[in-house]
Amino acid sequence: MKQGSALVTGNWQGTAAGGVTDPDLIILPDPETRFATTAARLAALAPGHRLEDWLSFMARLASAQWKSLDAVSDLEPLSLSVVDAAADAAMPPLAIERHARAPVWRTALSRILDSMEEGPLPAATCEVIAALRAADIESVEALADRFLRGVLQAEDAGGAIHVAAALQVYFTKLAAALPVDGLRLLPQRGLCPCCGSTPTAGVITASGKTPGTRYLHCSLCATAWTHLRATCITCGDTRTVALQGIEGSSDLVKAETCDACGTYSKTIYQK
């Protein structure tokens, strides 16, 4: 079973107090808090965890992303005409397969590598960073393209982690500057309305004006958007969807599985 992309309809959500309220369909990211919060959370989880080394590395990488934000501070936002045209075509305005990346994303990559080298690193990571620094622009851009298109090779793995981190900084900054009123949910509802990427997970809200709403969170630009619950985010099926969990674990994290298309999505419940 694999995690996948989407399709569904419906915008209205009942409230815990009764009645019907229209939730915010799309919530744009805050770059300043997105990376700082991730770094703090991973750093707090790492000590004593069986994956302590990996969590510590990822906390350091998220911190490097936060420090690199100044590299994209002057990034020119998309024009309203581009956003409107994308909405009319039922396309994401930052569609990863069409968007022409500005060179500053590579500046963010360089800042991330600088931050990572401020402390001790495993020899393998040092080799990866050295290779990225030595690579020409065409090679780095090609690696970015392979990551965004999901066609990475095994030898890409080390460099792709850092390239992906820089692309997250770049696309999060661009998404944050979009006019939310001009955005539309996509016909494929499981894909991000800003960049068209797949989500990392869905979050079931416990507060706000529509508690119980499911928001999918983009793996690239950190945008959140609504999606009907108990509906497969890949094929829209409702008949064979089920929530699965690991016996003895918390009920706050589940996998929503779909027998119709063989995919799953991660679901997290807020307390």
Side-chain angles (χ1 to χ4, degrees), residues 60 114-121 126:
R60 189 165 162 183
D114 290 344
S115 295
M116 294 299 289
E117 289 184 317
E118 288 175 358
L121 290 169
C126 292

Side-chain angles (χ1 to χ4, degrees), residues 69-181:
L69 281 172
D70 64 331
V72 294
S73 60
D74 296 328
L75 190 58
E76 190 73 24
L78 293 191
S79 67
L80 291 178
S81 62
V82 170
V83 177
D84 290 343
D88 291 342
M91 293 287 292
L94 293 169
I96 54 177
E97 68 275 11
R98 298 187 180 193
H99 175 71
R101 295 185 297 273
V104 292
W105 87 266
R106 297 194 305 273
T107 306
L109 173 60
S110 180
R111 301 282 177 83
I112 288 171
L113 298 182
D114 290 344
S115 295
M116 294 299 289
E117 289 184 317
E118 288 175 358
L121 290 169
T125 303
C126 292
E127 292 175 4
V128 166
I129 291 177
L132 280 174
R133 290 196 185 279
D136 56 35
I137 291 175
E138 290 75 17
S139 296
V140 174
E141 291 287 355
L143 177 55
D145 287 338
R146 291 198 296 277
F147 166 74
L148 292 173
R149 294 169 184 164
V151 292
L152 290 173
Q153 305 300 316
E155 59 269 21
D156 292 332
I161 291 175
H162 300 85
V163 165
L167 291 171
Q168 283 184 330
V169 170
Y170 174 81
F171 278 98
T172 299
K173 180 67 175 179
L174 280 177
L178 291 172
V180 69
D181 291 342

Side-chain angles (χ1 to χ4, degrees), residues 49-50 133 257:
H49 196 282
R50 61 188 179 88
R133 290 196 185 279
T257 61

Side-chain angles (χ1 to χ4, degrees), residues 13-14 23-24 203-206 209-215 226-227 229:
Q13 177 82 27
D24 294 324
V203 175
I204 310 299
T205 60
K209 66 180 183 180
T210 54
T213 300
R214 171 160 71 169
Y215 280 96
T226 56
H227 195 290
R229 294 173 62 176

Side-chain angles (χ1 to χ4, degrees), residues 214-244:
R214 171 160 71 169
Y215 280 96
L216 302 182
H217 288 254
C218 181
S219 57
L220 182 64
C221 74
T223 295
W225 68 100
T226 56
H227 195 290
L228 291 179
R229 294 173 62 176
T231 302
C232 176
I233 71 169
T234 302
C235 71
D237 183 73
T238 58
R239 298 171 294 105
T240 64
V241 171
L243 286 173
Q244 313 286 349

